[in-house]
Amino acid sequence: MAQEPARVITLIVVDDHPVVRNGLRGMFDSAAEFRVLGEAADGVEGVEMAVRLDPDVVLMDLRMPGGGGVAAITELTRRGARSRVLVLTTYDTDSDTLPAIEAGATGYLLKDAPREELFTAVRAAADGRTVLSPAVASRLISRVRTPLPSGSETLSAREREVLELVAKGTSNREIAAVLFISEATVKTHLTHVFAKLGAKDRAAAVAVAYDRGILG
């Protein structure tokens, strides 16, 4: 008899293409640790569904007729929704990706991501950890290419180590364990990283770091 997972991650799928929604539902329904609570065809419907069903994760397309993903993420953030948003984009040139980061999305992947990569990203998003596809990050260059802020410096070796772990979706607690430092020290390093890169959060810092070749 199959053992039930210790935790079931709930999610909804927001995408204007029925085939994509059906494919994602089938993929997640095949794994006992996930439960798809519903599907929405646009951002407006997705927001209402997320507020009503309170899933752990919202899989959000960005460009949809009748209500795009960035507006939906902004509204979910405004409403203080508990759900984490994982953006799934069709094209890695999608210029809406950085605005989605700024709006409050937690993770960003391309729709052709392998099954296990998507599962890993959903687990990370449910835990509030940032997951940013290198392919997506590399396409943010034109959106994040700005002069370094006044007084900025290059990252120290330890700050770079912390940022590399953040890019892999590692939590502060896990980073502390890996590097044998305290969580408070991890937070201090991240504060310095944000200041040096001119980034306001983990996702933006990773995007800027990919752009500037700090992360390869």
Side-chain angles (χ1 to χ4, degrees), residues 68 74 150 158:
T74 301
S150 177
R158 180 44 60 90

Side-chain angles (χ1 to χ4, degrees), residues 97-207:
T97 305
L98 189 61
I101 295 174
E102 296 171 341
T106 297
Y108 317 86
L109 289 180
L110 298 180
K111 288 181 180 176
D112 62 359
R115 178 177 183 270
E116 287 307 316
E117 183 179 339
L118 184 53
F119 282 6
T120 298
V122 169
R123 294 185 196 105
D127 290 335
R129 291 180 278 131
T130 298
V131 179
L132 186 60
S133 164
V136 172
S138 68
R139 295 299 184 178
L140 296 178
I141 292 175
S142 64
R143 304 284 296 175
V144 299
R145 180 174 288 152
T146 55
L148 286 170
S150 177
S152 66
E153 314 162 42
T154 57
L155 300 185
S156 69
R158 180 44 60 90
E159 288 164 354
R160 189 188 301 269
E161 286 179 320
V162 170
L163 188 57
E164 287 172 348
L165 290 169
V166 168
K168 295 176 182 177
T170 313
S171 68
N172 285 359
R173 177 175 296 181
E174 292 167 334
I175 292 172
V178 169
L179 299 180
F180 301 101
I181 57 179
S182 68
E183 283 189 66
T185 300
V186 173
K187 292 178 182 177
T188 298
H189 284 313
L190 284 174
T191 298
H192 293 162
V193 168
F194 295 163
K196 290 179 179 181
L197 298 183
K200 68 177 184 178
D201 58 27
R202 297 163 76 96
V206 171

Side-chain angles (χ1 to χ4, degrees), residues 12-170:
I12 64 172
V13 179
V14 184
D15 195 290
D16 59 315
H17 294 99
V19 171
V20 173
R21 295 199 305 271
N22 292 341
L24 288 170
R25 176 183 277 277
M27 183 185 300
F28 283 99
D29 281 347
S30 70
E33 67 179 299
F34 301 109
R35 179 176 302 130
V36 179
L37 301 181
E39 304 170 20
D42 59 54
V44 174
E45 183 183 359
V47 168
E48 297 306 319
M49 184 174 290
V51 170
R52 186 175 75 253
L53 300 179
D54 189 34
D56 297 313
V57 177
V58 178
L59 292 178
M60 182 77 72
D61 191 13
L62 287 181
R63 296 189 178 182
M64 297 173 284
V70 173
I73 297 166
T74 301
E75 180 62 13
L76 286 171
T77 300
R78 187 188 71 81
R79 295 195 188 191
R82 181 186 68 86
S83 306
R84 305 287 185 172
V85 179
L86 176 60
V87 171
L88 289 178
T89 64
T90 301
Y91 306 105
D92 56 7
T93 55
D94 196 331
S95 62
D96 287 331
T97 305
L98 189 61
I101 295 174
E102 296 171 341
T106 297
Y108 317 86
L109 289 180
L110 298 180
K111 288 181 180 176
D112 62 359
R115 178 177 183 270
E116 287 307 316
E117 183 179 339
L118 184 53
F119 282 6
T120 298
V122 169
R123 294 185 196 105
D127 290 335
R129 291 180 278 131
T130 298
V131 179
L132 186 60
S133 164
V136 172
S138 68
R139 295 299 184 178
L140 296 178
I141 292 175
S142 64
R143 304 284 296 175
V144 299
R145 180 174 288 152
T146 55
L148 286 170
S150 177
S152 66
E153 314 162 42
T154 57
L155 300 185
S156 69
R158 180 44 60 90
E159 288 164 354
R160 189 188 301 269
E161 286 179 320
V162 170
L163 188 57
E164 287 172 348
L165 290 169
V166 168
K168 295 176 182 177
T170 313

